[in-house]
Amino acid sequence: MTKIHALSDDWGRPLVLALTAGQAADIRMLPVMLDAAPPAGELLPDRAYDNDAVRENLIGRGMRPIIPNKDDPRFFHPFDRKRYRARNAIERMFCRLKNFRRIATRYDRLARNFLAAIALVALATQWLK
């Protein structure tokens, strides 16, 4: 199983794409993805990234973290719910990618070929409109 990691802009166009093994934690790829991404003013990850170290890393990079809190009531960080609604852009991007059967079912045996197919579909569906 393979997990696709992506960072997108406000319009849902992918800026950075990466693959890891399916059991790998999302949070481990965040520094790598941020190093490859162009500078941004804010980041809207899901609640899996609700971690003080992640928040400090983002603030250190000059980014505003907009991360919802986990269900644990001991730690509460305020976040902008209205701005967080824009996160659906990345969800729509993944839906457009998975409209292609080759991506949804991962026909490619090699990770590099699969990543190339993802990049090609992303280019065709989201950048060349």
Short mmCIF file of all heavy atoms in Angstrom, two decimals, residues 1 11-13 17 19 26 35 37 48 75 82-84 88 93-94 121:
data_model
loop_
_atom_site.label_atom_id
_atom_site.label_comp_id
_atom_site.label_asym_id
_atom_site.label_seq_id
_atom_site.Cartn_x
_atom_site.Cartn_y
_atom_site.Cartn_z
N MET A 1 0.84 -1.17 0.00
CA MET A 1 0.00 0.00 0.00
C MET A 1 0.90 1.25 0.00
O MET A 1 1.94 1.26 0.63
CB MET A 1 -0.90 -0.01 1.24
CG MET A 1 -1.96 1.03 1.21
SD MET A 1 -3.25 0.67 2.37
CE MET A 1 -2.99 1.97 3.52
N TRP A 11 -6.00 27.12 -4.80
CA TRP A 11 -6.89 26.66 -5.85
C TRP A 11 -6.89 25.15 -6.00
O TRP A 11 -7.48 24.62 -6.93
CB TRP A 11 -6.54 27.32 -7.19
CG TRP A 11 -6.73 28.80 -7.12
CD1 TRP A 11 -7.92 29.48 -7.21
CD2 TRP A 11 -5.73 29.77 -6.90
NE1 TRP A 11 -7.70 30.82 -7.06
CE2 TRP A 11 -6.35 31.03 -6.87
CE3 TRP A 11 -4.35 29.72 -6.71
CZ2 TRP A 11 -5.66 32.21 -6.68
CZ3 TRP A 11 -3.66 30.90 -6.51
CH2 TRP A 11 -4.32 32.12 -6.50
N GLY A 12 -6.18 24.45 -5.12
CA GLY A 12 -6.14 23.00 -5.17
C GLY A 12 -5.17 22.42 -6.17
O GLY A 12 -5.23 21.24 -6.49
N ARG A 13 -4.24 23.24 -6.65
CA ARG A 13 -3.22 22.74 -7.57
C ARG A 13 -2.04 22.22 -6.76
O ARG A 13 -1.53 22.92 -5.89
CB ARG A 13 -2.76 23.85 -8.51
CG ARG A 13 -3.89 24.37 -9.38
CD ARG A 13 -3.43 25.51 -10.23
NE ARG A 13 -2.91 26.58 -9.37
CZ ARG A 13 -2.62 27.80 -9.79
NH1 ARG A 13 -2.77 28.11 -11.05
NH2 ARG A 13 -2.17 28.70 -8.97
N LEU A 17 4.47 16.81 -4.35
CA LEU A 17 3.94 15.46 -4.28
C LEU A 17 5.02 14.52 -3.80
O LEU A 17 6.18 14.65 -4.20
CB LEU A 17 3.44 14.99 -5.65
CG LEU A 17 2.26 15.72 -6.25
CD1 LEU A 17 2.11 15.36 -7.72
CD2 LEU A 17 1.00 15.39 -5.48
N LEU A 19 5.58 10.18 -2.12
CA LEU A 19 5.02 8.88 -1.78
C LEU A 19 5.76 8.29 -0.60
O LEU A 19 6.98 8.47 -0.46
CB LEU A 19 5.17 7.91 -2.96
CG LEU A 19 4.39 8.18 -4.22
CD1 LEU A 19 4.75 7.15 -5.28
CD2 LEU A 19 2.91 8.15 -3.94
N ASP A 26 1.93 10.44 8.56
CA ASP A 26 1.91 11.65 7.74
C ASP A 26 2.85 12.72 8.28
O ASP A 26 3.48 13.45 7.53
CB ASP A 26 0.50 12.24 7.69
CG ASP A 26 -0.47 11.36 6.94
OD1 ASP A 26 -0.01 10.47 6.21
OD2 ASP A 26 -1.68 11.57 7.09
N ASP A 35 10.11 21.89 3.06
CA ASP A 35 11.40 22.31 2.49
C ASP A 35 11.31 22.42 0.97
O ASP A 35 11.96 23.26 0.36
CB ASP A 35 12.50 21.33 2.86
CG ASP A 35 12.90 21.44 4.33
OD1 ASP A 35 12.59 22.47 4.96
OD2 ASP A 35 13.51 20.48 4.85
N ALA A 37 8.49 23.07 -0.73
CA ALA A 37 7.41 23.97 -1.14
C ALA A 37 7.88 25.42 -1.19
O ALA A 37 8.81 25.82 -0.48
CB ALA A 37 6.25 23.87 -0.17
N ALA A 48 -4.47 15.37 12.32
CA ALA A 48 -3.35 14.46 12.58
C ALA A 48 -2.06 15.24 12.87
O ALA A 48 -1.14 14.71 13.49
CB ALA A 48 -3.15 13.53 11.39
N PHE A 75 -5.34 19.66 25.83
CA PHE A 75 -4.58 20.64 25.07
C PHE A 75 -5.51 21.33 24.08
O PHE A 75 -6.08 20.67 23.22
CB PHE A 75 -3.42 19.97 24.33
CG PHE A 75 -2.52 19.18 25.23
CD1 PHE A 75 -2.58 17.81 25.25
CD2 PHE A 75 -1.63 19.82 26.07
CE1 PHE A 75 -1.76 17.07 26.08
CE2 PHE A 75 -0.80 19.10 26.91
CZ PHE A 75 -0.86 17.72 26.91
N LYS A 82 -13.33 29.46 10.14
CA LYS A 82 -13.75 29.99 8.83
C LYS A 82 -12.64 29.81 7.79
O LYS A 82 -12.90 29.42 6.66
CB LYS A 82 -14.12 31.47 8.97
CG LYS A 82 -14.77 32.04 7.75
CD LYS A 82 -15.29 33.43 8.00
CE LYS A 82 -15.98 33.96 6.77
NZ LYS A 82 -16.47 35.32 6.96
N ARG A 83 -11.41 30.09 8.15
CA ARG A 83 -10.29 29.92 7.22
C ARG A 83 -10.03 28.44 6.94
O ARG A 83 -9.62 28.07 5.84
CB ARG A 83 -9.04 30.60 7.79
CG ARG A 83 -7.84 30.52 6.89
CD ARG A 83 -8.07 31.29 5.60
NE ARG A 83 -6.98 31.05 4.68
CZ ARG A 83 -7.13 30.53 3.46
NH1 ARG A 83 -8.30 30.26 2.99
NH2 ARG A 83 -6.09 30.31 2.71
N TYR A 84 -10.28 27.58 7.93
CA TYR A 84 -10.03 26.15 7.77
C TYR A 84 -10.95 25.53 6.71
O TYR A 84 -10.62 24.49 6.15
CB TYR A 84 -10.21 25.44 9.11
CG TYR A 84 -9.77 23.99 9.08
CD1 TYR A 84 -8.42 23.66 8.97
CD2 TYR A 84 -10.69 22.96 9.13
CE1 TYR A 84 -8.01 22.35 8.93
CE2 TYR A 84 -10.29 21.64 9.09
CZ TYR A 84 -8.95 21.34 8.99
OH TYR A 84 -8.55 20.03 8.93
N ASN A 88 -10.79 22.27 1.93
CA ASN A 88 -11.44 21.36 0.99
C ASN A 88 -10.77 21.39 -0.39
O ASN A 88 -10.98 20.49 -1.20
CB ASN A 88 -12.94 21.63 0.88
CG ASN A 88 -13.25 22.93 0.19
OD1 ASN A 88 -12.61 23.31 -0.77
ND2 ASN A 88 -14.25 23.62 0.68
N MET A 93 -8.63 18.16 -4.81
CA MET A 93 -7.49 17.77 -5.64
C MET A 93 -7.32 16.26 -5.64
O MET A 93 -7.15 15.64 -6.70
CB MET A 93 -6.21 18.44 -5.14
CG MET A 93 -5.01 18.10 -6.00
SD MET A 93 -3.43 18.06 -5.16
CE MET A 93 -3.62 16.72 -4.04
N PHE A 94 -7.38 15.64 -4.46
CA PHE A 94 -7.25 14.18 -4.39
C PHE A 94 -8.40 13.48 -5.11
O PHE A 94 -8.19 12.46 -5.76
CB PHE A 94 -7.18 13.71 -2.93
CG PHE A 94 -5.80 13.78 -2.35
CD1 PHE A 94 -5.50 14.68 -1.36
CD2 PHE A 94 -4.79 12.95 -2.81
CE1 PHE A 94 -4.23 14.76 -0.83
CE2 PHE A 94 -3.51 13.01 -2.29
CZ PHE A 94 -3.23 13.93 -1.29
N VAL A 121 -1.09 13.26 -14.28
CA VAL A 121 -2.53 13.49 -14.11
C VAL A 121 -2.77 14.86 -13.46
O VAL A 121 -3.68 15.60 -13.86
CB VAL A 121 -3.17 12.36 -13.29
CG1 VAL A 121 -4.59 12.71 -12.86
CG2 VAL A 121 -3.17 11.07 -14.09
#
